[in-house]
Amino acid sequence: MVLHKEEYETSATYEEVGSPLYSNVIPKRHSDKGRKASSAASGVQRYRVGAITLGLLAVVQLVLIIYLAFHMEARNKNLTEERDELKRKLDVLVLKQDSWRAERDNLTSMNSETEGRSRTISLERDELKKKLNTLAQPGWTLFRSRAYYISPTKKSWQESRAYCQSVDADLMIINSREEQVFANSFKLHMWIGLTDSETEGTWKWVDGSPLTTSYWGSQEPNGKTEENCGEIKSFTTERSWNDGTCSLQLNWICEMKFAQ
Ligand code: 2F8
Ligand code: CA
Protein backbone atom coordinates (compact mmCIF):
# COMPACT_ATOMS: atom_id res chain seq x y z
CA MET A 1 0.00 0.00 0.00
CA VAL A 2 1.42 3.40 -1.01
CA LEU A 3 0.68 6.45 1.00
CA HIS A 4 0.74 9.90 -0.49
CA LYS A 5 2.89 12.39 1.43
CA GLU A 6 0.06 14.90 1.60
CA GLU A 7 -2.29 12.25 2.99
CA TYR A 8 0.13 11.23 5.70
CA GLU A 9 0.68 14.75 6.86
CA THR A 10 -3.09 15.36 7.28
CA SER A 11 -4.71 12.07 8.24
CA ALA A 12 -2.11 9.63 9.88
CA THR A 13 -2.88 8.95 13.54
CA TYR A 14 -0.37 8.84 16.37
CA GLU A 15 -0.38 4.97 16.57
CA GLU A 16 -0.03 4.58 12.78
CA VAL A 17 3.06 6.70 12.75
CA GLY A 18 4.67 4.55 15.51
CA SER A 19 3.91 1.29 13.70
CA PRO A 20 6.49 -0.54 11.48
CA LEU A 21 4.27 0.28 8.51
CA TYR A 22 5.39 3.81 8.79
CA SER A 23 8.95 3.20 9.89
CA ASN A 24 10.56 4.05 6.53
CA VAL A 25 8.36 7.02 5.98
CA ILE A 26 9.96 10.30 6.95
CA PRO A 27 7.32 12.79 7.98
CA LYS A 28 7.47 16.04 6.18
CA ARG A 29 7.05 18.21 9.26
CA HIS A 30 7.89 17.27 12.84
CA SER A 31 6.59 18.99 15.85
CA ASP A 32 8.28 18.45 19.31
CA LYS A 33 5.13 16.87 20.65
CA GLY A 34 4.95 14.46 17.73
CA ARG A 35 8.63 13.45 18.07
CA LYS A 36 8.22 12.74 21.77
CA ALA A 37 5.10 10.66 21.17
CA SER A 38 6.80 8.70 18.40
CA SER A 39 9.89 7.99 20.56
CA ALA A 40 7.72 6.82 23.49
CA ALA A 41 5.72 4.52 21.21
CA SER A 42 8.90 2.99 19.83
CA GLY A 43 10.29 2.39 23.40
CA VAL A 44 7.08 0.66 24.49
CA GLN A 45 7.21 -1.46 21.36
CA ARG A 46 10.82 -2.52 22.02
CA TYR A 47 9.96 -3.25 25.65
CA ARG A 48 7.07 -5.47 24.57
CA VAL A 49 9.21 -7.36 22.05
CA GLY A 50 11.93 -7.83 24.68
CA ALA A 51 9.44 -9.04 27.29
CA ILE A 52 7.85 -11.48 24.87
CA THR A 53 11.30 -12.76 23.83
CA LEU A 54 12.36 -13.21 27.45
CA GLY A 55 9.08 -14.98 28.22
CA LEU A 56 9.54 -17.30 25.27
CA LEU A 57 13.14 -18.01 26.33
CA ALA A 58 11.96 -18.78 29.87
CA VAL A 59 9.34 -21.19 28.51
CA VAL A 60 11.91 -22.90 26.27
CA GLN A 61 14.31 -23.13 29.22
CA LEU A 62 11.60 -24.62 31.43
CA VAL A 63 10.68 -27.16 28.75
CA LEU A 64 14.35 -28.07 28.39
CA ILE A 65 14.79 -28.45 32.14
CA ILE A 66 11.69 -30.68 32.37
CA TYR A 67 12.84 -32.73 29.38
CA LEU A 68 16.36 -33.16 30.85
CA ALA A 69 14.94 -34.05 34.26
CA PHE A 70 12.75 -36.79 32.75
CA HIS A 71 15.59 -37.95 30.53
CA MET A 72 18.06 -38.13 33.44
CA GLU A 73 15.58 -39.95 35.64
CA ALA A 74 14.94 -42.53 32.92
CA ARG A 75 18.68 -42.89 32.36
CA ASN A 76 19.32 -43.30 36.11
CA LYS A 77 16.58 -45.91 36.28
CA ASN A 78 18.19 -47.84 33.42
CA LEU A 79 21.64 -47.58 34.99
CA THR A 80 20.28 -48.78 38.37
CA GLU A 81 18.62 -51.75 36.68
CA GLU A 82 21.82 -52.56 34.78
CA ARG A 83 23.85 -52.27 37.99
CA ASP A 84 21.43 -54.57 39.87
CA GLU A 85 21.55 -57.09 37.02
CA LEU A 86 25.36 -57.02 37.04
CA LYS A 87 25.33 -57.47 40.83
CA ARG A 88 23.07 -60.51 40.45
CA LYS A 89 25.35 -61.96 37.77
CA LEU A 90 28.40 -61.29 39.96
CA ASP A 91 26.74 -63.05 42.91
CA VAL A 92 26.02 -66.07 40.70
CA LEU A 93 29.63 -66.09 39.48
CA VAL A 94 30.97 -65.84 43.04
CA LEU A 95 28.76 -68.78 44.08
CA LYS A 96 29.94 -70.80 41.07
CA GLN A 97 33.56 -69.93 41.86
CA ASP A 98 33.12 -71.07 45.49
CA SER A 99 31.55 -74.33 44.36
CA TRP A 100 34.33 -74.95 41.82
CA ARG A 101 36.96 -74.18 44.45
CA ALA A 102 35.34 -76.67 46.85
CA GLU A 103 35.18 -79.26 44.06
CA ARG A 104 38.83 -78.63 43.15
CA ASP A 105 39.91 -78.94 46.82
CA ASN A 106 37.88 -82.12 47.13
CA LEU A 107 39.47 -83.58 43.99
CA THR A 108 42.94 -82.53 45.20
CA SER A 109 42.42 -84.19 48.57
CA MET A 110 40.94 -87.29 46.88
CA ASN A 111 43.94 -87.35 44.59
CA SER A 112 46.45 -87.10 47.44
CA GLU A 113 44.44 -89.70 49.37
CA THR A 114 44.57 -92.03 46.36
CA GLU A 115 48.30 -91.36 45.97
CA GLY A 116 48.81 -92.09 49.69
CA ARG A 117 46.81 -95.32 49.44
CA SER A 118 48.68 -96.33 46.32
CA ARG A 119 52.03 -95.71 48.09
CA THR A 120 50.86 -97.78 51.09
CA ILE A 121 49.74 -100.61 48.78
CA SER A 122 53.10 -100.49 46.98
CA LEU A 123 55.00 -100.67 50.28
CA GLU A 124 52.81 -103.54 51.52
CA ARG A 125 53.27 -105.39 48.22
CA ASP A 126 57.10 -104.95 48.42
CA GLU A 127 57.10 -106.10 52.04
CA LEU A 128 55.04 -109.18 51.18
CA LYS A 129 57.34 -109.99 48.26
CA LYS A 130 60.34 -109.77 50.58
CA LYS A 131 58.63 -112.00 53.16
CA LEU A 132 57.71 -114.56 50.50
CA ASN A 133 61.36 -114.68 49.37
CA THR A 134 62.41 -115.20 53.00
CA LEU A 135 59.86 -117.99 53.48
CA ALA A 136 61.33 -119.81 50.47
CA GLN A 137 64.57 -120.20 52.48
CA PRO A 138 65.13 -123.37 54.57
CA GLY A 139 64.17 -123.33 58.27
CA TRP A 140 60.73 -121.69 57.92
CA THR A 141 57.47 -123.40 58.92
CA LEU A 142 53.89 -122.14 58.66
CA PHE A 143 51.60 -122.47 61.68
CA ARG A 144 48.17 -120.81 62.19
CA SER A 145 48.71 -118.03 59.58
CA ARG A 146 52.18 -117.22 60.93
CA ALA A 147 55.64 -118.30 59.83
CA TYR A 148 58.32 -119.58 62.26
CA TYR A 149 62.03 -119.99 61.76
CA ILE A 150 64.13 -122.46 63.73
CA SER A 151 67.78 -121.47 63.52
CA PRO A 152 70.35 -124.10 62.62
CA THR A 153 73.07 -122.08 64.40
CA LYS A 154 73.50 -120.53 67.85
CA LYS A 155 73.73 -116.92 68.95
CA SER A 156 73.22 -114.71 72.04
CA TRP A 157 69.66 -113.53 72.75
CA GLN A 158 70.40 -110.04 71.33
CA GLU A 159 72.09 -111.36 68.16
CA SER A 160 69.29 -113.88 67.68
CA ARG A 161 66.76 -111.07 67.88
CA ALA A 162 68.76 -108.97 65.39
CA TYR A 163 68.66 -111.86 62.91
CA CYS A 164 64.86 -112.17 63.21
CA GLN A 165 64.44 -108.43 62.72
CA SER A 166 66.64 -108.50 59.63
CA VAL A 167 64.04 -110.72 57.93
CA ASP A 168 60.99 -108.64 59.03
CA ALA A 169 60.27 -110.95 61.97
CA ASP A 170 61.09 -111.01 65.71
CA LEU A 171 61.79 -113.61 68.39
CA MET A 172 58.70 -115.74 69.05
CA ILE A 173 55.95 -114.38 71.30
CA ILE A 174 53.91 -117.14 72.95
CA ASN A 175 50.39 -115.99 73.76
CA SER A 176 48.41 -119.22 73.54
CA ARG A 177 48.72 -122.79 74.75
CA GLU A 178 48.67 -123.88 71.11
CA GLU A 179 51.81 -121.86 70.39
CA GLN A 180 53.47 -123.17 73.56
CA VAL A 181 52.86 -126.75 72.45
CA PHE A 182 54.04 -125.88 68.93
CA ALA A 183 57.31 -124.32 70.29
CA ASN A 184 58.00 -127.36 72.48
CA SER A 185 57.45 -129.68 69.52
CA PHE A 186 60.88 -128.75 68.04
CA LYS A 187 62.53 -130.24 71.16
CA LEU A 188 65.26 -127.64 71.00
CA HIS A 189 66.87 -125.45 73.63
CA MET A 190 66.20 -122.00 72.09
CA TRP A 191 65.63 -118.31 72.73
CA ILE A 192 62.11 -116.84 72.68
CA GLY A 193 61.08 -113.17 72.67
CA LEU A 194 60.86 -112.68 76.44
CA THR A 195 63.05 -110.42 78.65
CA ASP A 196 63.16 -108.50 81.94
CA SER A 197 66.29 -106.51 80.99
CA GLU A 198 64.43 -103.23 81.32
CA THR A 199 63.05 -103.74 84.85
CA GLU A 200 64.23 -106.69 86.91
CA GLY A 201 61.35 -109.05 87.61
CA THR A 202 58.99 -107.42 85.09
CA TRP A 203 58.89 -109.77 82.13
CA LYS A 204 57.80 -108.41 78.76
CA TRP A 205 57.51 -109.72 75.23
CA VAL A 206 59.60 -108.12 72.48
CA ASP A 207 56.54 -106.20 71.18
CA GLY A 208 56.30 -104.47 74.60
CA SER A 209 53.26 -106.43 75.77
CA PRO A 210 53.29 -107.71 79.38
CA LEU A 211 53.46 -111.37 80.24
CA THR A 212 50.00 -112.65 81.16
CA THR A 213 49.88 -116.43 80.64
CA SER A 214 53.29 -117.94 81.41
CA TYR A 215 54.89 -121.40 81.09
CA TRP A 216 57.85 -121.08 83.48
CA GLY A 217 59.50 -124.32 84.50
CA SER A 218 59.53 -125.33 88.12
CA GLN A 219 61.44 -122.80 90.32
CA GLU A 220 61.84 -120.38 87.34
CA PRO A 221 62.53 -117.54 86.83
CA ASN A 222 65.35 -117.62 89.37
CA GLY A 223 68.32 -115.82 87.83
CA LYS A 224 67.51 -112.34 89.12
CA THR A 225 69.79 -109.79 87.37
CA GLU A 226 72.07 -112.56 86.04
CA GLU A 227 69.38 -114.15 83.84
CA ASN A 228 67.25 -111.67 81.93
CA CYS A 229 66.33 -113.56 78.75
CA GLY A 230 63.62 -116.18 78.19
CA GLU A 231 64.28 -119.55 76.62
CA ILE A 232 62.57 -122.90 75.92
CA LYS A 233 64.63 -125.34 78.03
CA SER A 234 62.63 -128.20 79.56
CA PHE A 235 60.70 -128.93 76.34
CA THR A 236 59.60 -132.37 77.54
CA THR A 237 57.13 -130.67 79.87
CA GLU A 238 54.52 -128.09 78.92
CA ARG A 239 55.99 -125.63 81.42
CA SER A 240 59.31 -125.38 79.59
CA TRP A 241 60.54 -121.82 80.10
CA ASN A 242 63.73 -120.77 81.89
CA ASP A 243 65.32 -117.38 82.47
CA GLY A 244 68.85 -117.71 81.13
CA THR A 245 71.98 -115.58 80.77
CA CYS A 246 71.42 -113.40 77.71
CA SER A 247 74.96 -113.85 76.34
CA LEU A 248 74.56 -117.60 76.20
CA GLN A 249 74.84 -119.03 72.66
CA LEU A 250 71.61 -120.85 71.85
CA ASN A 251 69.37 -121.69 68.91
CA TRP A 252 66.43 -119.35 68.51
CA ILE A 253 62.92 -119.25 67.05
CA CYS A 254 61.62 -116.26 64.99
CA GLU A 255 57.96 -115.46 64.34
CA MET A 256 56.78 -113.60 61.22
CA LYS A 257 53.35 -111.90 61.00
CA PHE A 258 51.56 -111.08 57.73
CA ALA A 259 49.02 -108.55 58.95
CA GLN A 260 48.63 -106.36 62.05
O1 2F8 B 1 67.30 -125.45 85.52
C1 2F8 B 1 67.85 -124.87 86.63
C2 2F8 B 1 68.93 -123.84 86.26
O2 2F8 B 1 69.83 -124.45 85.36
C3 2F8 B 1 70.93 -123.64 84.98
O3 2F8 B 1 71.68 -123.26 86.10
C4 2F8 B 1 72.44 -124.33 86.61
C5 2F8 B 1 70.42 -122.39 84.31
N1 2F8 B 1 71.55 -121.56 83.99
C6 2F8 B 1 71.79 -121.19 82.72
O4 2F8 B 1 71.10 -121.59 81.81
C7 2F8 B 1 72.96 -120.30 82.56
C8 2F8 B 1 69.45 -121.68 85.20
O5 2F8 B 1 68.91 -120.59 84.54
C9 2F8 B 1 68.35 -122.63 85.62
O6 2F8 B 1 67.45 -121.95 86.45
CA1 CA C 1 66.82 -119.62 85.43
Side-chain angles (χ1 to χ4, degrees), residues 173-239:
I173 293 170
I174 299 171
N175 38 30
S176 72
R177 186 172 173 271
E178 256 188 328
E179 274 189 297
Q180 172 63 13
V181 171
F182 172 74
N184 279 345
S185 70
F186 293 97
K187 301 191 184 316
L188 199 61
H189 190 182
M190 57 188 181
W191 291 122
I192 57 172
L194 190 59
T195 180
D196 74 339
S197 296
E198 215 174 273
T199 310
E200 175 55 40
T202 303
W203 289 87
K204 277 185 184 174
W205 293 108
V206 281
D207 66 355
S209 59
L211 181 60
T212 48
T213 308
S214 64
Y215 297 91
W216 292 116
S218 170
Q219 311 294 315
E220 306 297 346
N222 61 1
K224 303 231 165 55
T225 54
E226 294 300 310
E227 299 179 337
N228 296 329
C229 294
E231 62 185 36
I232 300 272
K233 191 180 180 202
S234 319
F235 44 78
T236 49
T237 60
E238 191 170 294
R239 302 178 66 82

